[in-house]
Amino acid sequence: SIALAANGDYVIADRRNHRVQRCLAAGGGEGCITVAGTSGQMGSSASHLKWPSHVAIALNGDYVVVDYWNHRVQRCPSSGSRNCTTVAGGTGDAGSGPRDLMFPEAVAMAPNGDYVIADSWNHRVQRCPASGVGACQTVAGSTGQAGNSSRLLNYPGGVALTEDGDYVVSDRYNHRIQRCPAEGSGTCVTVAGETGIQGNSPTQLNKPYGVVVAWHGDYIIADSQNHRIQRCPASGSGKCLTVAGMAGKHGEDSNRLHAPTGVVLFGQDDPLAIVGLTVAAVAVWLCLLGSVIAYRSMSPR
């Protein structure tokens, strides 16, 4: 996944290198530094990560990292000292209790500092207290129950919050995006995709991952296995528009994507940045909402 620092730097969960990289806004892969984890070394200590899947940035600049294989969320100092603190989940032990996580995929920061986590293998979304201690609340899905009803999820891969506090969830293996009420009742509405049907038509998705909500309410979705970014109407009905990539065609040239997993907006209708996989490295694409304007390999050096 990718996040943007206040100065425009790219902050990337470099999954296979077990680290988080901060790369200069100028791009090109130069000037990247490790701000969490230890390059090439997996582990469960405060200075190690194991297959980090997502990163968000707290209001004070700290890095909030989803430490996938350690079944935890780490908060790492903005200074880049890499001495991180566990704020949700355990350390290497998966579970399904109120405080546990099992292969979490993504995190979003609530306005009050709470951590909202796509707890993928528990088929739920957890809201965990800003203090980093105490039990978490299930706000979407049902612990340990995969399904495709309005109250169930199937390996959620991404989560975002709307301005009114609703939870927007990439329901990956149901090939849909769910909008779930802020009060945590768990009864969600499908706003993109067709439940249980994977496809590449304008109304379909194929294992969506990252999702963000644009300022006017549209849903911007990393439609991973369709190798594209979809912009779907705020109304939750109608056709979506492909704004980057080509449906079902992956590649590394400037108008194609390869299994995009994360997307972030620079602001309102400004360009967006996409993180995805290439043959040998992480890559970031810079795109207008309609066409790719630049491709930048972010392979750290």
Side-chain angles (χ1 to χ4, degrees):
S1 80
I2 184 172
L4 287 179
N7 69 347
D9 286 355
Y10 308 102
V11 182
I12 303 166
D14 188 9
R15 196 163 184 157
R16 296 184 182 183
N17 280 320
H18 313 292
R19 64 186 180 182
V20 172
Q21 294 291 91
R22 181 167 179 155
C23 301
L24 294 178
E30 302 290 347
C32 299
I33 60 171
T34 300
V35 295
T38 303
S39 182
Q41 295 181 24
M42 67 177 74
S44 58
S45 74
S47 61
H48 286 86
L49 301 169
K50 192 173 183 181
W51 293 83
S53 58
H54 193 266
V55 60
I57 299 178
L59 287 176
N60 70 346
D62 285 353
Y63 308 101
V64 180
V65 185
V66 177
D67 194 7
Y68 181 80
W69 270 97
N70 279 324
H71 314 289
R72 66 185 181 182
V73 173
Q74 297 288 90
R75 184 161 181 152
C76 306
S78 59
S79 64
S81 69
R82 294 184 271 172
N83 186 25
C84 308
T85 302
T86 300
V87 293
T91 301
D93 295 322
S96 56
R99 177 70 186 173
D100 297 327
L101 300 171
M102 186 181 294
F103 297 110
E105 283 281 6
V107 63
M109 300 299 294
N112 70 345
D114 285 355
Y115 307 95
V116 181
I117 303 162
D119 188 12
S120 188
W121 282 42
N122 277 323
H123 311 291
R124 66 187 181 183
V125 173
Q126 295 290 90
R127 183 165 181 151
C128 301
S131 63
V133 296
C136 306
Q137 176 192 4
T138 300
V139 294
S142 182
T143 301
Q145 293 184 299
N148 61 13
S149 73
S150 63
R151 297 184 63 85
L152 296 177
L153 301 170
N154 195 349
Y155 295 100
V159 63
L161 279 80
T162 65
E163 284 190 355
D164 56 3
D166 285 353
Y167 306 99
V168 179
V169 186
S170 287
D171 192 8
R172 197 166 21 138
Y173 279 78
N174 280 325
H175 312 291
R176 67 186 182 182
I177 302 297
Q178 296 291 89
R179 183 166 176 157
C180 306
E183 71 270 15
S185 68
T187 302
C188 309
V189 176
T190 300
V191 294
E194 299 177 20
T195 299
I197 301 173
Q198 64 187 68
N200 60 14
S201 78
T203 61
Q204 295 175 324
L205 301 170
N206 190 350
K207 295 184 178 67
Y209 256 93
V211 60
V212 296
V213 181
W215 70 275
H216 43 61
D218 284 358
Y219 306 98
I220 315 295
I221 304 160
D223 188 12
S224 182
Q225 295 306 298
N226 279 325
H227 311 291
R228 66 185 181 183
I229 303 299
Q230 295 292 88
R231 184 170 189 154
C232 300
S235 64
S237 61
K239 295 180 179 180
C240 304
L241 173 69
T242 299
V243 295
M246 300 174 66
K249 298 180 180 180
H250 64 81
E252 297 178 36
D253 55 289
S254 63
N255 64 349
R256 296 190 184 187
L257 304 174
H258 190 171
T261 56
V263 59
V264 63
L265 289 172
F266 284 76
Q268 296 192 357
D269 272 334
D270 290 340
L272 52 85
I274 303 155
V275 67
L277 304 177
T278 69
V279 173
V282 173
V284 169
W285 291 263
L286 296 183
C287 310
L288 288 173
L289 295 185
S291 60
V292 175
I293 59 172
Y295 163 82
R296 297 177 179 174
S297 172
M298 304 301 288
S299 180
R301 298 174 186 175

